[in-house]
Amino acid sequence: MPALARISAILAVSLPLIASAQSRPAAPGYSAQPRPQAGTLVIAGQPEQAPITRINGHPYIDIESLARITHATVRYVGNQIILTIPNATVPSSTETAASAQANTPQLSRAFLAAEIEALTAIREWRVSLVNAVQYQYPIADNWIAPLRRFADSKLQLAAAAASTDPDQKTLELLRNEFTNMQQESDSLLAMRARVSEIRPDTLDNNPQDQKILACQRALAQVAASKQFQDDPSCH
C-alpha cells in the first residue's frame, strides 16, 4: 500500500477517537498519564519519525506529529480536523487515461515505419485506379502490375519487421487491406476487358471501395497512435 494511502487509513480510524478523547472531560480524580510508545511511523523517503501509541491493539499517531513528518498543515473547523498533505492530489481522468495508454503495448519502431510505407503504397495503388476510372483512362495490367508489386514488396517488409503481438495483429489488417485492394483491381481489369470504357461513377458508393478507404483510415489511426486498434472495415 502506498504511504499516502496508509496515512489515509490511519486517519480514518484514529481521528474520531482522538477528537473524542480531546473533547471528553476527565473523570473526577483521574490524572492523565502519557501512554507508552509502541513504535514509530516512518514515511518512505522522509527522515522524520513520529511515535505510535497502541489503544486496544490498534496503532494511533498524534495529528500534529503526522503533520510534521508529512510537511502537512492542520486546520480545526468546528468538530473537524482538516489535514492538507502536499502533492496528495487525486489524478484526473485525463492523467489516468494517459497513464493507461502509456502502459499499453505499442507497435515496434521498425514495424511502424514499414506499416506506413506499405499503407502508402496501397493508397497510391487505389488512387491510380480511381483516377483512371474518373477520367476514363484505359486500365491495363502493364501499369497496374508495377503498383501491385510495389505494394506487395512493402507488405513483405512489414511482415519481416513485425516482432510484437500488436505488430502481428496490425499486420493481419494490413494484409486484409492488400487482399481487398487486389480484388478491386482485378475486378476493374475484368470490367475493362468486357467493355470499351468504364463509367466515371463506377466507384461512387461502391461497397468494396468504401471498405478499402475506411480500412486505410483505420490503419492510419493505428500508425498515429502507435497502438493496435481493430476495425471491422479491415476484415
Side-chain angles (χ1 to χ4, degrees), residues 118-162:
L119 184 59
T120 300
I122 295 174
R123 183 185 293 115
E124 291 176 352
W125 181 8
R126 175 186 175 275
V127 168
S128 297
L129 284 172
V130 170
N131 287 339
V133 171
Q134 290 180 345
Y135 296 102
Q136 295 184 300
Y137 298 147
I139 298 178
D141 190 59
N142 63 343
W143 62 267
I144 291 181
L147 293 171
R148 180 178 62 247
R149 288 195 298 268
F150 182 69
D152 182 61
S153 66
K154 294 300 183 181
L155 178 62
Q156 298 310 315
L157 290 176

Side-chain angles (χ1 to χ4, degrees), residues 76-99:
Y76 298 88
V77 180
N79 62 351
Q80 290 186 332
I81 302 175
I82 303 175
L83 184 70
T84 304
I85 302 176
N87 301 324
T89 56
V90 178
S92 66
S93 57
T94 303
E95 292 172 337
T96 303
S99 176

